[in-house]
Amino acid sequence: MEAVAQVATGVVLLWAAGSKLRVRRELPDVLGAYGVPAVLRSPLAVALVAVETALGVLLVVRVAPELAAAGALALAGTFVAAPLAARLRGIRRIRCGCFGVQERATRLVLVRGMAFAALAA
């Protein structure tokens, strides 16, 4: 069961990275909605896609799966913390960079991050 969860986590990460690549020009602006300073948005966008891709590949091909799963769980912490911080700042809807750029309810983005964290765990 653990291996299935790890591979599933990897597939989700690869899907997310691929979705972000399709909207790569918009991704820095999306990160701004989460409070990321302008100077960090482009480098963070590149880093996010790279980390999602690397962890996804490691999990799918089962290379260092425990380490990659720990990395995915750490990344999931960001996917929970970012929309939670936005929600606490009073933001009810946010452009989400996950699986395309669409405006969604902040609570939905938060719940989705929590579900990913549960899968990664």
Side-chain angles (χ1 to χ4, degrees), residues 4-63:
V4 172
Q6 289 171 344
V7 171
T9 300
V11 168
V12 169
L13 285 169
L14 290 171
W15 180 20
S19 297
K20 286 177 181 71
L21 284 173
R22 285 196 309 271
V23 295
R24 65 185 165 273
R25 289 188 178 101
E26 295 177 65
L27 193 53
D29 289 336
V30 170
L31 293 175
Y34 289 95
V36 175
V39 69
L40 297 177
R41 291 177 194 164
S42 290
L44 186 58
V46 171
L48 179 58
V49 172
V51 168
E52 285 180 337
T53 301
L55 290 173
V57 168
L58 289 173
L59 286 165
V60 167
V61 300
R62 308 273 305 133
V63 173

Side-chain angles (χ1 to χ4, degrees), residues 16 19-20 22-23 96-102 104:
S19 297
K20 286 177 181 71
R22 285 196 309 271
V23 295
C96 175
C98 29
F99 311 110
V101 178
Q102 297 176 0
R104 302 185 192 285

Side-chain angles (χ1 to χ4, degrees), residues 88-104:
L88 292 174
R89 288 193 318 269
I91 299 171
R92 299 292 178 237
R93 296 192 63 77
I94 196 162
R95 288 179 63 213
C96 175
C98 29
F99 311 110
V101 178
Q102 297 176 0
E103 188 173 291
R104 302 185 192 285

